[in-house]
C-alpha cells in the first residue's frame, strides 16, 4: 500500500515526530511504500539542519533524512508554515524540500492511506 | 486530476490560543482548488472557531474568522457542527458566523465513516 | 474506521468525544492515551463500557515507556508499530483525534 504521513509537531517537544517515524519505518519494513511525509504547523521544525541534539539522544532530523536517502521518501515542508517559523532553503536538512500546501492535498488524493500525527 | 475523494477536515481546537485553526483553514482552501469533495466538521472546542464577534485587535493577532464566511465562494458549503459540542459550551447556532448543518452524535459518526481522507490538526 | 487517540483521557476529552461520536470500529491508543487502558485509572469504567462497540488496541512500546507493562486492562489488545501499520491497512480510513 501507498502511505502519506502528516507531521504537525516539532521534534523533541512532542512525541508526534517519533511516532510518525517509527510508523513509517515499520510500514517500509512490511513492504509498503511511504510516498510522502508532509510537515505542517510546528512540524516544519523537523527539517532544520541546525538541529544539534545531545550525543546520547536520537537525531530526529537525520533520521528523516535517512529515510529519504534509503527509501526515497518524499519529505515536504509546507512553505507558508516554514517561512513563519524561520525555515528556509538555506537551513534545510538533506532530503527535505519546501513546497506548497497543495502537496498535502495531493498526498491525500494519491495515497491509499493518509495518517496524521500531531498534538 | 480526475479522481475525486471525500476529504473531511475535523476541527477540534479553539482559535487564537494556538495556530491550528488558522493553518487548517489554509489547507481547506487549497484542497477546494483541487476540486475535491470537501467537508468541514467542528467538534468540541472547534465550534469556538465559528463564534460571531471575534475581535483580535487587543491581542494583536490576525482575525481570520471572516475567512469562514468566504468559504462559500470556494464552493465549500458542507460545514457540520455537532449538537452536543454546542450545548456543552452554552452556545447555539445563532452564535455562529456562518450557516452550518447541526448533526447529532450518531449522524456525525456516520458522516465520518463515509469519508476517504480525514485530516485533523 | 480506525480511530487513533494520543491524549490521556484525564487531561483531554479526545477519547471521550471519540466514544461519543464514532460509529463502531477500531480504536488505537498511542502516546499519552495509553493511560486510558491502565488498570484502576478513573476512565477504566468508560473504556470497558466501550469495548462492546469498539475493539481497543494499545501501542505496547508506549505502554512500556510509561512504566505500565503488565498493567493493561484485560481485553485491550497490544500492538507494536508493525501492528499499528496493519490496523491502518485493514481499515479503509483512519482518523487521528488531535
Amino acid at each position: 500500500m501507498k502511505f502519506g504521513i502528516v507531521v504537525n509537531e516539532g521534534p523533541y517537544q512532542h512525541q508526534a515526530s517519533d511516532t510518525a517515524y517509527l510508523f513509517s519505518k515499520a510500514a517500509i519494513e512490511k513492504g509498503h511504500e511511504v510516498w510522502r511525509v508532509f510537515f505542517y504547523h510546528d512540524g516544519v521544525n523537523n527539517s532544520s539542519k541546525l538541529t544539534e541534539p545531545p550525543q546520547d539522544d536520537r537525531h530526529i532530523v537525520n533520521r528523516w533524512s535517512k529515510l529519504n536517502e534509503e527509501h526515497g521518501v518524499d519529505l515536504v515542508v509546507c512553505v507558508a508554515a516554514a517561512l513563519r517559523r524561520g525555515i528556509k532553503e538555506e537551513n534545510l536538512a538533506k532530503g527535505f524540500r519546501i513546497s506548497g500546501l497543495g502537496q498535502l492535498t495531493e498526498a491525500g488524493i494519491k495515497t491509499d492511506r493518509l495518517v496524521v500525527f500531531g498534538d | 486530476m480526475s479522481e475525486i475523494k471525500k476529504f473531511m477536515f475535523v476541527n477540534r481546537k479553539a482559535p487564537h490560543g494556538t495556530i491550528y485553526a488558522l493553518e487548517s483553514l489554509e489547507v481547506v482552501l487549497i484542497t477546494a482548488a483541487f476540486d475535491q469533495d470537501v467537508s468541514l466538521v467542528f467538534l468540541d472546542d472547534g465550534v469556538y472557531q465559528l463564534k460571531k464577534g471575534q475581535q483580535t485587535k487587543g491581542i494583536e493577532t490576525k482575525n481570520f474568522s471572516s475567512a469562514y464566511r468566504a468559504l462559500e465562494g470556494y464552493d465549500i458549503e458542507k460545514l457540520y457542527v455537532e449538537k452536543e459540542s454546542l450545548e456543552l459550551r452554552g452556545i447555539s447556532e445563532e452564535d455562529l458566523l456562518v450557516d452550518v448543518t447541526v448533526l447529532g452524535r450518531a449522524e456525525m459518526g456516520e458522516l465520518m465513516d463515509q469519508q476517504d481522507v480525514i485530516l485533523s490538526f | 474506521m480506525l480511530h487513533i487517540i494520543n491524549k490521556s483521557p484525564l487531561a483531554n476529552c479526545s477519547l471521550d468525544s471519540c466514544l461519543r461520536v464514532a460509529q463502531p470500529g477500531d480504536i488505537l491508543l498511542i502516546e499519552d492515551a495509553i493511560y486510558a487502558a491502565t488498570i484502576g485509572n478513573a476512565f477504566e469504567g468508560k473504556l470497558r463500557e466501550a469495548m462492546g462497540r469498539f475493539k481497543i488496541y494499545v501501542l505496547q512500546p508506549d505502554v512500556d515507556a510509561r512504566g505500565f507493562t503488565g498493567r493493561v486492562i484485560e481485553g485491550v489488545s497490544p500492538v507494536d508499530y508493525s501492528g499499528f501499520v496493519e490496523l491502518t491497512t485493514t481499515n479503509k480510513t483512519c482518523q487521528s483525534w488531535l
Side-chain angles (χ1 to χ4, degrees):
Chain A
M1 249 181 200
K2 204 166 163 175
F3 279 92
I5 305 288
V6 184
V7 179
N8 289 333
E9 295 299 325
Y12 304 103
Q13 170 78 18
H14 193 286
Q15 206 187 336
S17 181
D18 291 291
T19 308
Y21 168 77
L22 292 167
F23 178 92
S24 303
K25 202 168 98 165
I28 291 166
E29 278 163 9
K30 287 173 80 74
H32 299 295
E33 179 192 358
V34 177
W35 186 65
R36 176 173 293 161
V37 182
F38 191 85
F39 297 90
Y40 197 38
H41 301 288
D42 270 359
V44 298
N45 291 315
N46 283 285
S47 70
S48 171
K49 74 172 177 195
L50 304 174
T51 307
E52 275 182 49
Q55 281 200 340
D56 60 351
D57 201 355
R58 71 230 187 269
H59 199 306
I60 295 182
V61 176
N62 289 357
R63 240 174 18 181
W64 284 118
S65 292
K66 212 170 144 216
L67 220 52
N68 163 270
E69 195 183 326
E70 293 175 359
H71 303 283
V73 177
D74 190 17
L75 306 175
V76 181
V77 180
C78 168
V79 61
L83 290 179
R84 265 189 193 120
R85 294 166 176 86
I87 299 281
K88 293 180 164 187
E89 294 289 347
E90 61 211 65
N91 57 343
L92 209 57
K94 222 174 122 201
F96 288 86
R97 63 186 181 95
I98 292 180
S99 190
L101 265 176
Q103 304 271 308
L104 170 55
T105 306
E106 193 192 27
I109 296 169
K110 291 200 174 163
T111 61
D112 301 304
R113 299 287 185 275
L114 193 68
V115 190
V116 184
F117 296 91
D119 183 43
Chain B
M1 223 167 291
S2 58
E3 197 183 346
I4 294 181
K5 281 192 176 180
K6 287 187 168 184
F7 276 76
M8 175 182 274
F9 294 88
V10 181
N11 297 289
R12 292 188 54 250
K13 294 188 174 97
H16 312 306
T18 56
I19 198 174
Y20 300 104
L22 168 63
E23 287 192 329
S24 126
L25 199 53
E26 290 176 352
V27 189
V28 169
L29 297 175
I30 294 283
T31 303
F34 276 75
D35 291 326
Q36 300 296 302
D37 181 337
V38 175
S39 302
L40 262 71
V41 159
F42 298 87
L43 200 65
D44 297 324
D45 277 357
V47 300
Y48 288 135
Q49 293 179 25
L50 300 180
K51 175 72 180 62
K52 265 184 201 164
Q54 296 177 41
Q55 296 173 47
T56 62
K57 220 173 143 192
I59 60 168
E60 298 192 6
T61 61
K62 193 167 154 183
N63 188 355
F64 58 94
S65 64
S66 56
Y68 294 101
R69 285 210 193 92
L71 289 172
E72 218 180 344
Y74 291 86
D75 288 327
I76 300 173
E77 284 156 355
K78 296 180 192 170
L79 274 63
Y80 302 97
V81 171
E82 193 232 358
K83 192 164 170 267
E84 266 170 84
S85 297
L86 289 176
E87 288 169 0
L88 287 167
R89 286 161 185 79
I91 56 174
S92 65
E93 234 182 304
E94 289 76 59
D95 291 308
L96 307 182
L97 45 81
V98 279
D99 288 336
V100 297
T101 306
V102 178
L103 298 178
R105 50 165 87 172
E107 294 167 293
M108 183 60 88
E110 280 163 24
L111 186 71
M112 286 173 172
D113 269 1
Q114 293 162 12
Q115 305 301 314
D116 297 313
V117 181
I118 302 179
L119 280 157
S120 33
F121 300 106
Chain C
M1 195 199 305
L2 173 66
H3 299 275
I4 304 165
I5 313 284
N6 73 339
K7 304 282 192 328
S8 162
L10 306 180
N12 185 291
C13 72
S14 60
L15 179 54
D16 215 15
S17 295
C18 172
L19 297 181
R20 180 180 82 232
V21 169
Q23 293 289 301
D26 291 339
I27 293 178
L28 172 64
L29 307 170
I30 68 169
E31 300 171 0
D32 286 350
I34 67 97
Y35 295 119
T38 57
I39 295 166
N41 90 85
F43 203 83
E44 181 175 357
K46 274 196 172 174
L47 194 77
R48 283 189 184 280
E49 205 183 306
M51 283 180 184
R53 291 184 297 133
F54 298 96
K55 176 107 175 88
I56 315 281
Y57 298 87
V58 71
L59 193 57
Q60 191 62 37
D62 278 331
V63 173
D64 297 340
R66 286 161 177 80
F68 278 91
T69 312
R71 286 181 58 182
V72 168
I73 298 165
E74 208 189 317
V76 174
S77 310
V79 293
D80 55 10
Y81 288 98
S82 171
F84 182 178
V85 173
E86 195 89 28
L87 282 171
T88 60
T89 60
T90 51
N91 283 280
K92 199 184 131 256
T93 47
C94 61
Q95 172 171 198
S96 298
W97 289 70
L98 304 179

